Amino acid sequence: MAGTKELRKQIASISNTQKITSAMEMVAASKMRKAQERMARGRPYSDQIRSVIGHVANASAEFRHGLMVEREVRRVGYIVVTTDKGLCGGLNINLLKTVVNELKKWSEENIEVDLCLIGNKGSQFFRSYGGRVVAASSHVSETPAMSDLIGSIKVMLDAFEEGAVDKIFLANNVFVNTMIQSPTVRQLVPLDPDEDDNLRHRWDYIYEPEARDLVEGLVTRFIESQVYQAVVENGACEQAAKMIAMKNATENAGEMIEELELIMNNERQAAITQELSEIIGGAAAV
């Protein structure tokens, strides 16, 4: 019966773990709803300012901002948005695999890469993997604030304006739905013109008070909004992935408990059968 006692202990331990994962699933579901609301509030502004920037980039402006000018690529920068905590399945590793593949492509072209990392998991990964990290920030995924991001963003933009990097990319997970979070890498600067053919032959806009003041402010707001929205979306992805991971863990714990209970019952039945056989054998000998 010693085996039965051990099985009881295992079942009790797994049952306690199951209660924890079930509670974490409910917490993640609650946080996911809040993160989705935050993401939904930010998307219209982010999409609209991207559209406006695309129009301005297509126009033959009297003032051409430095962040709109393509140049020969000698070094690139990546802003990588990951989570601060784990227990969210393959969310971070899928994104980091995508980024690593990008780094390998640049390495084959003898182009160096600077990294700006937002989130603890990215910092931990590149600490062991290697890479030139020029800025890092953490503890911003659940309740992101622009003030926590501006420092890291400014480091990369200053590097671009000084000619230290010639392109900047933004890497983050995009929330598709609760089951799907897509790792995405897109160019942040130089700004890409809008691909709409109807905009390619329009006259320039009339700027007031001056094109320089308006475009500089617009470009800065655009970049800040894109990074902020990436952090917000990544937060929604984190909670969705965590909810699914905890749901799977809870179900797996239930399956393990059923298997162990079956084994325990079989062992108990075998022990009872053996005892009965011994009793019957002893009675027959008498």
Side-chain angles (χ1 to χ4, degrees), residues 124-178:
Q124 292 172 7
F125 176 81
F126 284 105
R127 197 177 298 133
S128 59
Y129 179 82
R132 187 170 185 268
V133 179
V134 297
S137 56
S138 59
H139 305 296
V140 297
S141 58
E142 285 193 11
T143 54
M146 184 57 70
S147 57
D148 298 326
L149 304 173
I150 285 177
S152 299
I153 297 171
K154 190 173 186 304
V155 168
M156 296 303 286
L157 292 184
D158 287 348
F160 183 87
E161 291 175 355
E162 293 167 3
V165 297
D166 305 297
K167 282 183 184 290
I168 300 177
F169 297 88
L170 179 62
N172 67 287
N173 287 292
V174 173
F175 186 91
V176 180
N177 55 48
T178 305

